[in-house]
Amino acid sequence: MSPILYALEHEKSKLSQMERKLAERILASPGEIVHMGITELAEQCGISPATITRFCKVLHFKGFPDFKVKLAAEIAHSDGSPEGSGSSYQDIVAGNPLSVIVEAMQANHLASIRDTTSLLDLERLQSAIDVLCRARRVDMYGMATSSIVAQDFYQKLIRIGVNCTAFADSHMQITSASSLQEGDVAFAVSYSGETPETIDALSCAAASGAATISLTSYGSSSLATLADIPLFSSSLEQGMRRGDMASRIAQLHIIDILFTGMVSTRFGDFIPKLEQSYLNVQHYRHKRGGQS
């Protein structure tokens, strides 16, 4: 199942009666939906075209045409995938041979990156890159596994001279957010999009005047709704045994895209700093006999 259809299936209980009818119609025959006009779909579901437009925007699409384009791309990819290479993530199984484990991890990570890429909104990504490039200061928030993703972004940005810090402590997140102002950026990571500490920090940053960016799994969530620029990774990974492995890879995929986009946008400013940081690390590491 595609990330979009998966999100619809798992969020039906949160929808209004009219929205649920629409979600069920889409899930019943997604291939038909991509060829329909908004008026035809509205008549079939007994709802108004305005309800369909609002529904799509709740799911962070620009409207029904944008929804259809992305759903069609996912369906086309799914239809063209070799047997066994779909978005079926494999859980940890007792007694699996190592060769099977290696293949399963590769399949999970590749599926996560592929599914995340299919959800990318290039305009939204470009907006995030532009805001980050202009930022006076960038503070990053994330708890538990999400803090590892925030830390990875911090280690990349610090190498190109961006004034930034990553916070994993909830009290320090609020302290940081309180000191932000217009021209600063708060970047919050939460796979669920419902981590209370991260929501509080981003809310505080927004109240302080900072631009806000979120990175969550695809679907409607409190954090994504709160952010000025919501970014999404694949939402297909489930199960307590996985330890957020594929989801972390998906989020790091987005981080790498943002970083590369920033460096490409301000190549003349950032590349010399990136090269100098590399040379300095090499110099001092060799000075100490090559020890890390």
Side-chain angles (χ1 to χ4, degrees):
M1 183 179 288
S2 80
I4 293 174
L5 298 179
Y6 181 89
L8 287 179
E9 181 65 45
H10 284 261
E11 292 187 13
K12 280 194 302 183
S13 61
K14 304 176 186 177
L15 302 175
S16 68
Q17 184 177 358
M18 289 189 296
E19 290 172 334
R20 193 175 301 117
K21 286 176 64 177
L22 175 58
E24 288 172 350
R25 177 66 182 89
I26 294 169
L27 288 166
S29 51
E32 292 180 10
I33 300 300
V34 299
H35 299 294
M36 284 186 182
I38 190 170
T39 302
E40 180 185 2
L41 180 59
E43 290 176 352
Q44 286 193 11
C45 296
I47 58 178
S48 69
T51 298
I52 297 177
T53 299
R54 285 195 300 271
F55 175 84
C56 292
K57 289 185 176 179
V58 166
L59 294 172
H60 303 284
F61 295 101
K62 297 182 183 70
F64 186 55
D66 183 42
F67 172 81
K68 288 200 300 179
V69 167
K70 290 189 169 60
L71 179 59
E74 288 190 357
I75 292 172
H77 179 87
S78 176
D79 290 344
S81 296
E83 185 177 354
S85 67
S87 298
S88 178
Y89 290 80
Q90 302 177 54
D91 214 334
I92 300 173
V93 178
N96 259 354
L98 182 57
S99 60
V100 173
I101 292 172
V102 170
E103 289 180 3
M105 290 303 96
Q106 174 181 261
N108 285 355
H109 292 167
L110 288 175
S112 183
I113 291 173
R114 183 188 63 237
D115 293 337
T116 295
T117 300
S118 72
L119 293 170
L120 293 181
D121 183 315
L122 296 184
E123 290 184 15
R124 192 176 291 156
L125 268 175
Q126 188 62 60
S127 294
I129 290 167
D130 293 342
V131 166
L132 289 165
C133 282
R134 294 193 303 265
R136 183 187 67 91
R137 167 180 159 192
V138 179
D139 282 2
M140 288 157 277
Y141 311 132
M143 304 296 293
T145 305
S146 294
S147 71
I148 298 173
V149 178
Q151 184 69 27
D152 180 82
F153 200 20
Y154 162 73
Q155 291 196 25
K156 286 178 167 62
L157 295 186
I158 202 73
R159 294 179 183 183
I160 57 176
V162 173
N163 180 18
C164 61
T165 310
F167 297 93
D169 179 88
S170 60
H171 292 177
M172 288 304 300
Q173 288 179 356
I174 295 297
T175 301
S176 151
S178 300
S179 66
L180 296 177
Q181 55 188 301
E182 187 175 350
D184 298 331
V185 175
F187 188 98
V189 184
S190 168
Y191 180 72
S192 68
E194 300 297 344
T195 307
E197 298 88 345
T198 309
I199 293 170
D200 288 345
L202 201 67
S203 179
C204 183
S208 299
T212 54
I213 302 173
S214 66
L215 175 54
T216 68
S217 62
Y218 175 71
S220 60
S221 68
S222 300
L223 194 66
T225 300
L226 177 63
D228 296 324
I229 306 174
L231 304 176
F232 301 100
S233 63
S234 170
S235 59
L236 294 178
E237 182 183 49
Q238 297 290 322
M240 67 179 180
R241 301 176 188 168
R242 293 197 182 107
D244 300 329
M245 289 181 283
S247 60
R248 186 187 68 252
I249 295 296
Q251 290 177 329
L252 290 174
H253 179 51
I254 299 292
I255 294 300
D256 287 347
I257 291 171
L258 290 173
F259 175 73
T260 304
M262 290 176 66
V263 174
S264 179
T265 298
R266 290 182 54 187
F267 195 84
D269 295 326
F270 288 152
I271 283 296
K273 293 176 181 178
L274 187 61
E275 291 176 343
Q276 190 60 53
S277 66
Y278 172 80
L279 291 173
N280 286 346
V281 168
Q282 293 299 307
H283 170 74
Y284 286 102
R285 194 174 77 173
H286 291 157
K287 184 178 178 181
R288 296 174 182 272
Q291 298 178 355
S292 299

